[in-house]
Amino acid sequence: MLAAGLIEEAGEKPDPTHSDERRRYYRLTELGRRAFTTELQRYSQVVSIARQRSLLPNFSLELGL
């Protein structure tokens, strides 16, 4: 992903008090964000087709259902 330009090293650490020299932080680049959005759209289309064909089990993400 790094070589493809989808992510880049972030540089800053979210919490400097939990510093670990081996840990690296990354963020999406603009290209990575566009690729991510495209993939989400593709997944949405696949789920839509699966629903139309009644291929998905009945489940809910709501708690208690």
Side-chain angles (χ1 to χ4, degrees):
M1 290 172 51
L2 191 59
L6 300 174
I7 60 172
E8 62 188 4
E9 232 178 297
E12 71 274 355
K13 297 177 181 167
D15 186 355
T17 62
H18 292 102
S19 182
D20 180 351
E21 294 301 319
R22 298 169 295 175
R23 185 175 292 260
R24 300 203 184 269
Y25 295 91
Y26 297 90
R27 65 175 158 239
L28 286 172
T29 61
E30 186 56 37
L31 175 63
R33 199 170 306 283
R34 287 194 310 264
F36 178 64
T37 300
T38 300
E39 279 299 300
L40 286 179
Q41 290 169 344
R42 189 177 69 82
Y43 289 143
S44 178
Q45 292 169 349
V46 168
V47 169
S48 179
I49 291 168
R51 279 193 180 124
Q52 291 171 4
R53 296 181 183 176
S54 299
L55 299 174
L56 294 178
N58 288 330
F59 68 90
S60 174
L61 297 178
E62 303 272 336
L63 293 177
L65 296 177

